[in-house]
Amino acid sequence: MKINPCIEEVLITSEMIEKKCKELGEIITNDYQGKTPILIGLLKGAVPFMAELIKYIDCDVELEFIDVSSYQGVSSTGEIKIVRDINCSVGNRHVLLVDDIVDTGLTLSEVIKTMKNRNAASVETVTLVDKPEGRKVKDAEPKYVGYTIPNKFVVGFGLDYNELYRNLPYIGVLKRSIYEK
Ligand code: IMP
C-alpha cells in the first residue's frame, strides 16, 4: 500500500484495526448481552472506529455522538467543553463511550463525569488507541483498549493533525517536520 509521505512510520495497519475491532466487538457483545447500551462516539476522531467496531457487536445498541473540544495542534490545552451534545437521556442506561485515542484522559474524564451526573446505569469506555504515558488523570481508564502505543503523535483512521489525515486507513506517526514547520 502507498504510505502518505507525511507519515514517518505506520504503527497500526488497516488489517490490525479490523482484527482488533472483531476481538473487541465479541467481548462487548458478551458483556452487554440483553442491556441495549448507548454507544456514544466522540466526534470526530471516533467515527471510523465506531463504524468498524459496530459491525462486530452482535447485540442491540443505540448510537449517539458527542463533540467535546480538547486539543489544538499537538498538545492538550486542558480546556474541555461540550460543543455538541447527545440527543437522548442516559438515565438508567448503560453508556459505552467510543474514543479514538486516550492520552491525558482529560477529555474522557469530563465526559464520564457528565454521564454519571446524568445518572447513567454504567459508564465504560472503548478506545482504539491508548497512550498511557501521557495520562494526567486517574479516573478515565478505558475498560476496552485496542492498541497501546508509546507517547508519539499519531494520525490516521480518524485521528487528525489540524483536521488533516483522518482519512488514512492506517495509524502512523506524523513526521515532526509537518508540525514543527
Ligand atoms: P486527552 O484528553 O488528552 O486524552 O485527548 C483526547 C483527544 O485528543 C483525542 O480524542 C484526540 O482527538 C486527541 N489526541 C490525543 N493524542 C493524539 C494523537 O496522538 N494524535 C491525534 N490526536 C490526539
Side-chain angles (χ1 to χ4, degrees):
M1 196 210 324
K2 207 169 138 253
I3 304 299
N4 186 299
C6 300
I7 298 299
E8 186 180 287
E9 179 195 1
V10 174
L11 292 185
I12 308 170
T13 64
S14 56
E15 290 79 16
M16 287 167 73
I17 293 171
E18 191 187 339
K19 182 172 164 273
K20 192 58 76 173
C21 286
K22 275 185 194 161
E23 286 171 24
L24 290 171
E26 280 169 22
I27 297 169
I28 290 166
T29 300
N30 281 330
D31 289 359
Y32 285 92
Q33 214 47 251
K35 290 185 173 164
T36 315
I38 306 176
L39 269 56
I40 304 181
L42 275 75
L43 291 171
K44 305 170 193 166
V47 170
F49 175 45
M50 184 138 149
E52 187 65 20
L53 179 68
I54 57 172
K55 294 201 259 176
Y56 306 105
I57 299 182
D58 190 18
C59 63
D60 287 340
V61 294
E62 292 176 25
L63 304 185
E64 285 287 336
F65 291 94
I66 192 166
D67 194 356
V68 186
S69 75
S70 63
Y71 262 38
Q72 274 180 357
V74 291
S75 63
S76 173
T77 60
E79 272 176 47
I80 276 134
K81 75 173 189 225
I82 295 179
V83 182
R84 178 204 179 274
D85 209 340
I86 52 171
N87 283 322
C88 70
S89 160
V90 297
N92 290 320
R93 299 291 305 276
H94 295 282
V95 167
L96 180 59
L97 301 171
V98 183
D99 210 352
D100 49 359
I101 191 165
V102 182
D103 181 14
T104 63
L106 288 165
T107 315
L108 255 192
S109 162
E110 285 304 308
V111 179
I112 292 169
K113 257 185 247 161
T114 304
M115 296 306 153
K116 286 188 174 163
N117 285 340
R118 293 178 186 178
N119 298 316
S122 68
V123 184
E124 300 292 356
T125 304
V126 55
T127 186
L128 178 57
V129 183
D130 192 12
K131 292 202 290 193
E133 288 165 40
R135 211 66 101 245
K136 290 189 179 153
V137 287
K138 289 202 166 97
D139 56 355
E141 288 315 301
K143 179 166 181 181
Y144 310 99
V145 173
Y147 292 100
T148 299
I149 63 163
N151 207 0
K152 292 185 172 177
F153 192 79
V154 290
V155 295
F157 207 71
L159 291 157
D160 74 307
Y161 169 63
N162 287 347
E163 296 302 326
L164 296 179
Y165 313 110
R166 294 191 196 276
N167 54 321
L168 302 182
Y170 50 81
I171 293 175
V173 180
L174 189 64
K175 283 184 182 160
R176 292 190 87 89
S177 57
I178 304 298
Y179 56 84
E180 286 182 350
K181 291 198 253 209

